[in-house]
Amino acid sequence: MIAVVVVGVMDDHGDISVSKRVIVQVISCLVMIYYGKVRINDFGDLVGFGQPITFGGLESVITVFCVVGVINALNLIDGIDGLCSIVCLVAFAGMLTLVKLAGAPTSVSLILYFGASLLAFLIVNLGLTKMLVKKVFLGDAGTTIIGFFLSWYLIHMSSGADAVFRPITAVWLLALPIMDTLAVMYRRIRLHQSPFQAGRDHIHHQLMNFGFSPKKTLLILIFFSMTLAGVGVLCEIKEVPEPIMFFGMLVLFFLYCVGSGKLHLEAQIMRDRG
């Protein structure tokens, strides 16, 4: 984690190119894989063939791709106070619930410590202690730390013989930032724009452009994130087949793309009229 923290701090104090940030993230992922022995071995039986989807020796490549994707998805969704931290706290809560219900021997001490510190940050970030402590922000350093830590435990708890939940459940726990990032990248590619450029076309920007205040936007997205994570936890408890969870996620992602696209268009029309 040290390497990504250092680069995150440097980026917060002066822009660092995307390529340099990604290189350090990749190196950190390789340390996680080959030293921490944490990697994605398969995606589970997503299509109902009775066999998990494996990668034929490309496990490390797939793991790096997914972890770097999650890190940057959390960074991109950190556009209003409290959103990124609450989304991650929801994911932590889902993981802890599944560990508790499964009676798994997996240690959750680090998750509890990390979640407690994130909750303390959230209280200050939302300005609830402004009479005592000045406002603080996550920045790139914060989102990178959270993304790396969360990815580590999501993979650790969904892979191997001692897995607590299935890989598709991990996607549901973190569905909001994943769907938002993929939807934005798809929309930009369709418009012949760079999918990696900075922009104000993420879901929180769209809701605020549509007229919602930052507080109402936060509440809407918290409810959405909790609903998705809750569905994932419930499906895991009820042992809903993986193909149903996977294709359900695809349908949800399609609806999300359509809905966010229309919201983006309506917001543009409102701005033009204003």
Side-chain angles (χ1 to χ4, degrees), residues 181-210:
T181 299
L182 292 177
V184 168
M185 293 181 71
Y186 167 74
R187 185 164 54 248
R188 290 178 181 175
I189 291 173
R190 189 164 55 85
L191 296 174
H192 305 289
Q193 300 173 352
S194 171
F196 304 107
Q197 70 180 15
R200 295 184 59 82
D201 51 353
H202 292 275
I203 185 63
H204 47 280
H205 295 133
Q206 293 172 356
L207 289 172
M208 288 189 291
N209 290 337
F210 195 70

